Amino acid sequence: AAPRVSLPLKSAKPSDLGGALLSHYSRVLGGAEVGPAARAACSRLQATREKLAPLNKVSETSAEAALSEFLAYEWELAALCARLDEGGAELGCLFRWRDAWRPRNKCEKPELEWERACVLFNGGAAASFAAGCALGRARGEVKEAVRLYQQAAGCLVAAHGIVRPAIWGLTPRWDPNSLPVEMTLYMLHAPRAVRLAR
């Protein structure tokens, strides 16, 4: 059954986040070799990004698994951002994400916060798709759909919370006009309101 309300997923261009993190750790250690545990963590994070970045659609059988992976990846990014300056800009890693509705267009920013916001949008898209599928089943799994729509709203609230401080103020870090339409404050708020009203 087709979802009643859903958002398209954004896909990302390749980015060497793992390598950037290894270089950062090496600088912090004064050029010393990075330990095996840190190397393994960087490799896992890079592997997760490579798995999720090209994902541009989900199905009834894959939407909830994709949601879980997007949220787990975002949690790791949030933990990294808390330990880095300027939203992770010090890594010197560029994150390019395609416009959800016009995939030929891309927006790139050198901050982990941008990566987080886009991953959260995708979490919201996957959750809304799964919720729509639950509503469309013959059994009418309304409670499950409500739970998933609330998760979608939570993802969009979190993305809104990242984007807003980055584009507000006298010296915003991001040019508001550079954002694709789905990452504007209005669009991050509008689907959230629809989901919470259901």
Side-chain angles (χ1 to χ4, degrees), residues 12-13 15 45-53 73 95 115:
K13 300 288 282 180
S15 182
L45 193 65
Q46 182 63 27
T48 300
R49 188 182 199 280
E50 288 173 1
K51 179 180 180 181
L52 296 176
Y73 178 50
F95 300 100
E115 178 92 339

Side-chain angles (χ1 to χ4, degrees), residues 102-148:
R102 294 173 296 182
R104 288 184 174 211
N105 297 340
K106 296 179 286 293
C107 180
E108 57 186 37
K109 303 203 178 294
E111 296 181 35
L112 274 177
E113 291 283 15
W114 174 241
E115 178 92 339
R116 283 185 65 205
C118 293
V119 169
L120 283 164
F121 178 87
N122 274 1
S128 68
F129 187 98
C133 289
L135 279 177
R137 292 183 193 123
R139 296 187 303 276
E141 298 176 18
V142 176
K143 285 185 180 178
E144 177 67 3
V146 168
R147 180 186 70 80
L148 288 162

Side-chain angles (χ1 to χ4, degrees), residues 28-191:
V28 168
L29 295 170
E33 186 175 348
V34 178
R39 285 184 171 276
C42 291
S43 293
R44 281 194 304 273
L45 193 65
Q46 182 63 27
T48 300
R49 188 182 199 280
E50 288 173 1
K51 179 180 180 181
L52 296 176
L55 192 63
N56 61 9
K57 61 184 173 181
V58 290
S59 67
E60 186 170 357
T61 57
S62 69
E64 289 194 63
L67 169 62
S68 294
E69 294 205 38
F70 281 128
L71 294 181
Y73 178 50
E74 192 280 328
W75 184 86
E76 290 190 73
L77 294 176
L80 271 175
C81 282
R83 296 196 300 267
L84 297 169
D85 295 328
E86 300 174 13
E90 66 189 270
L91 294 177
C93 193
L94 197 59
F95 300 100
R96 296 181 183 94
W97 282 82
R98 294 188 182 276
D99 186 311
W101 280 285
R102 294 173 296 182
R104 288 184 174 211
N105 297 340
K106 296 179 286 293
C107 180
E108 57 186 37
K109 303 203 178 294
E111 296 181 35
L112 274 177
E113 291 283 15
W114 174 241
E115 178 92 339
R116 283 185 65 205
C118 293
V119 169
L120 283 164
F121 178 87
N122 274 1
S128 68
F129 187 98
C133 289
L135 279 177
R137 292 183 193 123
R139 296 187 303 276
E141 298 176 18
V142 176
K143 285 185 180 178
E144 177 67 3
V146 168
R147 180 186 70 80
L148 288 162
Y149 276 128
Q150 288 174 338
Q151 275 195 286
C155 289
L156 298 176
V157 167
H160 188 280
I162 293 170
V163 172
R164 185 177 60 189
I167 66 171
W168 279 12
L170 295 175
T171 55
R173 297 192 333 263
W174 303 345
D175 176 2
N177 296 320
S178 72
L179 300 178
V181 67
E182 73 275 7
M183 299 306 291
T184 62
L185 296 183
Y186 173 78
M187 282 303 296
L188 288 172
H189 178 75

